[in-house]
Amino acid sequence: MRYIIIGAGAVGGAVGGRLAEAGHEVVLVARGAQYAALRDGGLRLRVPEGEFTYRLPVVEGPAGLGVLRADDVLVLAVKTQDTEGALDAWGPAPVEDGGTAAERLPLLCAQNGVEGQRVALRRFRQVYGVCVWLPAAFVEPGLVSAAGSPLTGILHLGVYPHGTDETARRIAADLEKSRFEAPVVPDLARWQYAKLLSNLANAVEAVAGPIEDGRAVALVERVQAEGVAVLDAAGIAYTSPEEQREVRGDKITLLPLDDAPRGGGSSWQSLTRGTGTIEADYLNGEIALLGRLHGVPTPLNDLLQRLANAYARERREAGSMPVGELVRLADEAVAAVEDQRSGQQRSGR
């Protein structure tokens, strides 16, 4: 199979580089400065064993490949907010012997949250979800770092919305030859919703910096507890922290990489790069949506969604809000909801 990595940033670059290292055929898809850097200098992947350069085909879109092959696998690694644009471009792409990519090719959604694969299933017949545990960073155009060792990441795979098949198992076999663990599971959503709960902290980190201060840690716990209450009310299953720890074990240890600081997670990286967008609508916003559907207030996730979007839109510096200020705003948001509910009770509503 040939792997077409749509969005050769942190996650896509790490996956594409490791697949190429293991001898698999890989095409990278990128835009702007990243496209130019990959075209001119190759993909530089900085990992615990050193820095490696992979001279791989790189295109800006399907036109760069002409007709797609019947054995192509599309790996969607763009941020969720960029999903629609990627599907618009790749869904109609022609495949050899007839049909389009949306009709004939498997699409793996290697993204945070749960919305991207749902959007993809409106267009593509064969959609696979991926629960991405892969500490990676976009350092600069052309250079991606992935600090995990001995495994680069753990990528749970499954058919979306549920189940497994031979295609998923073949892809998993290729990934497991490429320094990943890739369990194929019929209940992928359980793993993805657990990852969603952990990703609720992304906005805290993006707005107020590394989650090291005790106040920041306590705030993240409150935000995630709100998420748990929402998932429980919605009847959505998720893996426990104990189950996750049992799977991860000591398979991924972050090692220091020269001149490639980890920095922050995906949302922090979006602010640092000044992209103007952020994934908060599909992380904290997913909890807000479910809360409204099931009658559970979500003031903390509402606040973080709003702040993260404002920071991205206004291109504010990542981590520039003092933790104390964020905690104060969080306390005010919770108090406002409590006051509103008390007022409704007093009025008999």
Side-chain angles (χ1 to χ4, degrees), residues 14 115 134 145 155 173 185 196 213 251 292 308-309 334:
E115 182 65 14
L134 200 177
S145 70
L155 307 173
V185 295
L196 172 65
D213 185 293
K251 299 170 185 174
R292 291 165 193 150
N309 279 320
V334 171

Side-chain angles (χ1 to χ4, degrees), residues 7 67 77 149 166 180 227 236 247 253 263 271 294 298 300 313 332:
V67 176
S149 178
E166 184 57 29
F180 295 100
I236 294 174
V247 169
T253 299
L271 292 184
H294 297 279
T298 58
L300 296 177
R313 184 174 58 252
E332 289 180 354

